[in-house]
Amino acid sequence: SAERHLQKADELIDVVGIVMLRLDLLEKYALLAEKRGNYAKALFYQKQFKAFADSMQDIANRQQIDEMQIKYESEKKSLENDKLREQDFLNQKIIRNQQLLGLVILVSLMFMVLFTVIIFRSRQKLRRSFRILKKLNAEVVSQKEKLEEANETKDKMFSIVAHDLRSPFSALLGLLDLMTSDYETMADV
């Protein structure tokens, strides 16, 4: 009856597909054969049990190695991702700094252009002012020359009038001097 139950269990294991149960099944077959006294069959089942246990251990070891490999690869990828994130952050910071530098350069250039335009316009105003000043200076020089000429004419006129008035005033002064000095001796006329 135990053998029949073991055969049914073997069929169920094939249907269900749980491999670990086969290991127990082989061990039970070995024990059953040993209890029946069939040591050759017990040895056969024991060897199958051992081979199956070893293969299961190998599979478990491979799975463990695969899990460790996956864990290692995962950690490696995680570290690479962290490094890439850090590199991306640094690259973004560099790009931001370059953009800021570009903006500073652009603003500086705009100020330089504005400063150049202001200087250019102020120079134009200076040139216009210089031309106007030159023109006014020429007018002042011209007026000065006219005034000097008018002053010379005035001086000539005063010198001529003074010369013309000197003789009559000299005569008048001489007469007045004579009258004041000889007033008492003069006869009333």
Side-chain angles (χ1 to χ4, degrees):
S1 118
E3 189 172 353
R4 217 179 29 232
H5 287 303
L6 287 176
Q7 285 175 350
K8 281 184 183 179
D10 195 14
E11 291 171 6
L12 284 173
I13 289 172
D14 285 340
V15 171
V16 175
I18 301 175
V19 179
M20 289 302 290
L21 293 177
R22 185 160 307 280
L23 187 63
D24 287 341
L25 184 68
L26 288 172
E27 186 178 25
K28 302 287 185 220
Y29 270 131
L31 284 173
L32 182 65
E34 184 182 344
K35 283 193 180 188
R36 284 185 176 172
N38 191 350
Y39 294 112
K41 206 170 192 183
L43 182 63
F44 170 75
Y45 283 124
Q46 188 63 34
K47 283 183 179 179
Q48 278 189 340
F49 169 77
K50 186 67 176 156
F52 194 73
D54 287 345
S55 72
M56 293 302 289
Q57 186 64 38
D58 286 347
I59 289 171
N61 286 344
R62 273 194 226 116
Q63 285 177 345
Q64 192 175 11
I65 289 171
D66 287 345
E67 287 174 5
M68 290 176 72
Q69 186 72 25
I70 288 171
K71 187 177 178 183
Y72 171 76
E73 292 293 327
S74 173
E75 287 178 5
K76 184 178 174 184
K77 293 260 188 223
S78 177
L79 288 174
E80 285 177 7
N81 286 340
D82 289 343
K83 283 183 181 180
L84 287 174
R85 276 190 215 103
E86 187 177 317
Q87 185 64 36
D88 185 47
F89 177 75
L90 290 175
N91 287 342
Q92 287 177 356
K93 199 171 185 179
I94 289 169
I95 289 170
R96 197 175 321 118
N97 288 342
Q98 287 175 346
Q99 288 173 342
L100 184 63
L101 180 63
L103 184 63
V104 166
I105 289 171
L106 181 65
V107 169
S108 298
L109 285 174
M110 288 174 62
F111 276 122
M112 287 176 59
V113 167
L114 182 65
F115 184 70
T116 304
V117 167
I118 290 171
I119 287 177
F120 180 73
R121 286 192 177 176
S122 69
R123 287 201 174 219
Q124 281 183 336
K125 285 180 183 178
L126 261 168
R127 285 183 189 138
R128 270 190 248 127
S129 298
F130 184 70
R131 275 187 251 131
I132 291 170
L133 192 61
K134 215 173 175 183
K135 194 179 200 182
L136 290 174
N137 196 17
E139 287 178 17
V140 167
V141 168
S142 170
Q143 287 177 357
K144 179 185 168 199
E145 288 174 358
K146 286 179 184 177
L147 284 174
E148 284 178 354
E149 188 178 312
N151 201 15
E152 284 178 20
T153 305
K154 174 195 71 137
D155 286 346
K156 266 188 187 180
M157 186 179 87
F158 279 139
S159 116
I160 291 171
V161 168
H163 187 278
D164 287 346
L165 289 177
R166 189 175 299 160
S167 295
F169 275 120
S170 289
L172 188 59
L173 278 174
L175 179 64
L176 284 174
D177 190 34
L178 187 65
M179 283 174 66
T180 54
S181 63
D182 290 332
Y183 179 71
E184 294 173 10
T185 57
M186 287 183 133
D188 287 330
V189 182

